[in-house]
């Protein structure tokens, strides 16, 4: 996987736990930052470190639009999106590195 592709992603604290939706141009680096609590913020405060879903995009603009759309969804819709591809809420980060 090209590490510089625009990507929308969802992190979870645990199965059906607290969720975080983000967008990045470098998924591996960004998830590493979340997992290592490099910056103070939501994912650090609530231990939201498990990469449970991601989607690649042609442009950063389309990734940002998708992030905003998903952030506006109800929790149940986000859970359904995750479980369509990752029913066991496995952390996909180790498979990417």
């Amino acid at each position: 996987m090209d590490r510089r592709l625009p990507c929308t992603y969802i992190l979870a604290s645990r199965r059906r736990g607290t969720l975080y939706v983000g967008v990045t141009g470098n998924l591996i680096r960004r998830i590493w930052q979340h997992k290592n609590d490099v910056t103070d913020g939501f994912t650090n405060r609530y231990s939201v470190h498990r990469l449970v879903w991601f989607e690649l995009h042609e442009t950063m603009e389309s990734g940002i639009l998708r992030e905003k759309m998903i952030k506006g969804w109800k929790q149940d819709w986000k859970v359904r999106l995750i479980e369509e591809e990752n029913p066991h809420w496995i952390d996909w980060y180790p498979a990417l590195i």
Side-chain angles (χ1 to χ4, degrees):
M1 179 174 99
D2 183 345
R3 296 167 194 246
R4 294 168 296 187
L5 288 174
C7 184
T8 304
Y9 62 93
I10 300 177
L11 300 178
S13 59
R14 58 184 167 76
R15 181 181 174 97
R16 295 183 176 241
T18 303
L19 300 179
Y20 174 84
V21 180
V23 66
T24 183
N26 186 326
L27 183 63
I28 293 172
R29 181 185 73 211
R30 187 66 179 125
I31 301 308
W32 182 89
Q33 291 170 340
H34 285 301
K35 287 182 169 291
N36 290 282
D37 293 325
V38 172
T39 59
D40 288 336
F42 184 88
T43 60
N44 180 350
R45 196 171 318 124
Y46 297 101
S47 298
V48 182
H49 299 126
R50 185 186 302 189
L51 176 64
V52 293
W53 179 88
F54 68 93
E55 178 178 85
L56 300 176
H57 296 276
E58 291 284 325
T59 65
M60 188 57 104
E61 291 78 17
S62 65
I64 291 168
L65 287 173
R66 181 71 161 156
E67 174 200 28
K68 288 179 180 181
M69 179 182 2
I70 293 171
K71 281 184 173 184
W73 287 2
K74 296 178 181 182
Q75 183 82 354
D76 289 347
W77 298 355
K78 294 174 193 174
V79 167
R80 191 174 317 130
L81 178 68
I82 293 164
E83 291 184 344
E84 284 175 0
E85 294 183 34
N86 189 359
H88 302 291
W89 294 65
I90 295 166
D91 184 355
W92 286 345
Y93 179 74
L96 296 178
I97 55 175

